[in-house]
């Protein structure tokens, strides 16, 4: 819970990691390159007092995690999003099993999400089912740019992926977090294109599709599908840190998101340990759309911030919210703006 | 003999396909070395995992631009600190770089980003006119020859030409990427989207510049004439 100026905020950090990217776990140059890439984002977009040395960033402790997320990070609940990357890291980057081992020690604090990879075929479907049964999963995190042997990525609207989404529907795994990344295959397509989420969201209306990083660097593509598909949500990880280095861009981004989707379909996520939730939450609560942009964008009221910081995620994950804050979470998503936006490009 | 400045001049004509800005302005040129008829160019990108298809377009674009200079017989363009550096630096075709992983050419991909750049840049021209007091109806009635000359208009004209859209002075100033003129009634809606596209490109470019700086500091390219 976070309190400021007499307002209370129930906090769900919708996107955290507990990874091991230590040199000992790096399987090859890609594993080294991957964590260095994360580290550049961390260094570039964090306030100086929140920057870590590379060694700590590669592998931090359980004490760091608890301290940063709950003791100083205000979270009531935090959601582990696994990232397997077993082609890059010998024991995986952060798997469901690894994060579940931590979560089990602190009941009620963490939600553990699973993952699947449609390239795993029949065996993968069984593995998903046992993962869901073992950890009572309500969500999965998918990384379409993940390498696997000779393959360099996959699409969410492929028949193989649909078999897994069918399985999710059957098992009650209703929250599908999708992270786009630079896949190599197919090379003639834009890997960040979120068009495959569009198709899947249409075909699986019972599932919620949370596009991580609000589709960045394709904010416009994400907004277009978000406008059309009421079951598409945006995770604010990566967008939110711009609040510190580029506040006017952040104002425009959050303003556009509230316009094209609405504040009921945006989820706070720190992407810890890339960024520390403490400063993100403090700065977001203090943030307001600059006066000269208020003609174009609606102001960010405490209710809007409450929804984004926790109530929306609480709705998706059936979390209990303190009674005095629960009122504003009752609202359901309003009608999308213009159900068929005509793409200008 | 070709000078490094001439090489940089040629590279200024090569753009990042996503950001629609010259490689030289973005700081993507790590170094240029000339030796008689041979030119070596080293490219660097903001992250180790920058999309390989866009990286390829820049490697290939740089090579073509340098080879087009008079007196250059050999152009060796290498990509540094990238997961596919080896594959992309040595290859002459995309198929050669990633055997079996390329299913078609990149024309359509490039086209998508030319259209996005065009929409974004037209949007900024249009916004400037509205800020200066023009009405939507007034803006929609404008011809290309009515627009204030400047780099933004020049870039718009070049993008029109790439898209096969009329660039004659009497052509409508504001058009959809398929060449149809915008009318006053549709202008506001179109502008809302154009601003979103511009925001996406600009914030992406800002992040790319920042990450490049984190990775390499602020130094310019290393220039060597051997």
């Amino acid at each position: 819970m976070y309190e400021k100026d007499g307002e209370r905020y129930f906090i769900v950090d919708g996107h955290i990691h507990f990874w091991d990217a230590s040199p000992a776990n790096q399987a090859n140059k890609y594993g080294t390159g991957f964590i260095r890439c994360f580290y550049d984002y961390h260094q570039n977009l964090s306030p100086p007092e929140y920057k870590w040395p590379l060694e700590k960033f590669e592998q931090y402790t359980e004490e760091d995690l608890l301290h940063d997320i709950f003791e100083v990070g205000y979270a009531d609940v935090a959601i582990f999003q696994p990232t397997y990357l077993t082609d890059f890291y010998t024991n995986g980057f952060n798997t469901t099993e690894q994060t579940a081992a931590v979560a089990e020690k602190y009941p009620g604090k963490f939600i553990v999400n699973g993952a699947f990879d449609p390239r795993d075929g029949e065996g993968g479907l069984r593995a998903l089912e046992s993962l869901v049964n073992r950890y009572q999963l309500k969500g999965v995190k998918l990384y379409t740019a993940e390498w696997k042997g000779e393959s360099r990525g996959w699409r969410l609207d492929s028949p193989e992926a649909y078999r897994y989404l069918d399985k999710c529907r059957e098992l009650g795994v209703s929250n599908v977090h999708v992270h786009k990344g630079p896949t190599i295959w197919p090379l003639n397509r834009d890997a960040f294109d979120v068009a495959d989420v569009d198709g899947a969201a249409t075909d699986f209306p019972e599932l919620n599709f949370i596009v991580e990083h609000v589709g960045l660097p394709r904010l416009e593509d994400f907004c277009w599908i978000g406008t059309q598909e009421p079951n598409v949500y945006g995770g604010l990880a990566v967008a939110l840190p711009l609040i510190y280095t580029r506040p006017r861009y952040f104002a425009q981004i959050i303003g556009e998101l509230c316009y094209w989707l609405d504040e009921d379909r945006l989820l706070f996520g720190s992407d810890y340990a890339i960024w520390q939730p403490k400063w993100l939450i403090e700065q977001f609560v203090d943030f307001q759309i600059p006066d000269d942009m208020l003609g174009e964008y609606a102001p960010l009221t405490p209710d809007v911030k409450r929804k984004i910081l926790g109530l929306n995620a609480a709705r998706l994950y059936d979390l209990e919210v303190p009674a005095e804050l629960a009122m504003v979470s009752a609202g359901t998503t309003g009608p999308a703006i213009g159900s068929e936006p005509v793409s200008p490009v | 003999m070709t000078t490094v400045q001439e090489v940089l001049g040629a590279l200024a004509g090569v753009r990042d396909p996503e950001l629609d800005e010259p490689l030289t302005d973005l700081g993507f040129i790590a170094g240029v070395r000339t030796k008689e008829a041979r030119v070596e160019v080293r490219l660097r990108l903001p992250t180790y995992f920058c999309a390989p298809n866009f990286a390829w377009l820049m490697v290939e674009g740089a090579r073509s631009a340098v080879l087009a200079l008079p007196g250059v017989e050999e152009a060796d363009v290498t990509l540094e600190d990238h997961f596919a550096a080896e594959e992309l630096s040595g290859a002459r075709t995309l198929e050669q770089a990633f055997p079996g992983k390329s299913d078609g050419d990149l024309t359509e991909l490039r086209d998508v980003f030319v259209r996005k750049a065009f929409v974004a840049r037209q949007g900024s021209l249009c916004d400037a006119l509205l800020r200066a007091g023009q009405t939507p109806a007034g803006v929609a009635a404008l011809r290309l020859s009515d627009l204030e000359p400047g780099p933004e208009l020049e870039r718009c004209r070049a993008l029109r030409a790439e898209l096969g859209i009329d660039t004659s002075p009497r052509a409508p100033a504001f058009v959809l990427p398929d060449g149809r003129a915008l009318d006053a009634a549709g202008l506001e809606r179109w502008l809302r989207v154009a601003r979103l596209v511009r925001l996406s490109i600009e914030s992406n470019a800002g992040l790319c510049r920042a990450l490049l700086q984190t990775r390499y500091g602020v130094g310019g390219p290393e220039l060597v004439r051997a």
Side-chain angles (χ1 to χ4, degrees), chain A residues 118-342:
Chain A
R119 295 166 295 189
D120 290 337
E122 209 57 54
L125 282 169
R126 282 193 300 274
L128 174 65
E129 187 156 4
S130 72
L131 207 61
V132 171
N133 290 335
R134 184 166 168 201
Y135 299 116
Q136 286 83 51
L137 305 180
K138 288 183 194 162
V140 284
K141 162 84 183 297
L142 309 176
Y143 185 46
T144 59
E146 181 148 2
W147 296 16
K148 187 175 270 299
E150 281 298 296
S151 165
R152 292 291 182 264
W154 55 277
R155 286 181 65 87
L156 195 63
D157 58 358
S158 62
E160 296 77 23
Y162 272 24
R163 294 183 65 205
Y164 281 75
L165 292 175
D166 263 329
K167 181 60 85 179
C168 286
R169 181 162 57 185
E170 178 194 319
L171 298 170
V173 177
S174 53
N175 300 312
V176 180
H177 296 253
V178 189
H179 179 179
K180 306 300 290 188
T183 48
I184 297 184
W185 188 90
L187 271 166
N188 62 329
R189 291 293 300 262
D190 173 18
F192 296 102
D193 182 5
V194 284
D196 58 338
V197 182
D198 195 355
T202 305
D203 291 334
F204 292 88
E206 315 83 341
L207 301 179
N208 306 310
F209 291 85
I210 302 100
V211 176
E212 293 302 340
H213 319 316
V214 291
L216 292 174
R218 302 286 178 265
L219 181 69
E220 75 281 32
D221 294 346
F222 170 69
C223 286
W224 290 331
I225 70 159
T227 291
Q228 295 173 75
E229 309 293 341
N231 55 334
V232 166
Y233 294 71
L236 283 170
V238 179
L240 194 49
L242 296 174
I243 203 169
Y244 167 65
T245 44
R246 294 183 157 68
R248 286 186 66 84
Y249 275 127
F250 177 73
Q252 287 175 277
I253 290 170
I254 196 80
E256 294 289 346
L257 288 167
C258 287
Y259 174 82
W260 293 96
L261 284 85
D262 58 40
E263 74 265 17
D264 291 323
R265 288 192 283 148
L266 298 172
L267 271 57
F268 164 65
S270 63
D271 221 338
Y272 180 81
I274 306 184
W275 296 288
Q276 310 257 338
K278 178 178 164 62
W279 69 267
L280 291 170
I281 293 164
E282 289 170 354
Q283 293 198 15
F284 183 63
V285 166
D286 288 345
F287 189 79
Q288 193 47 266
I289 303 282
D291 286 346
D292 63 308
M293 294 184 190
L294 281 173
E296 190 146 25
Y297 305 124
L300 297 172
T301 63
D303 277 350
V304 168
K305 290 172 183 172
R306 256 189 287 276
K307 289 178 178 183
I308 294 174
L309 284 172
L311 300 183
N312 291 338
R315 194 173 71 242
L316 295 186
Y317 282 88
D318 297 323
L319 301 176
E320 201 181 324
V321 173
E324 78 273 18
L325 298 177
M327 289 170 59
V328 284
S329 71
T332 51
T333 293
I337 301 161
S339 59
E340 283 294 327
V342 179

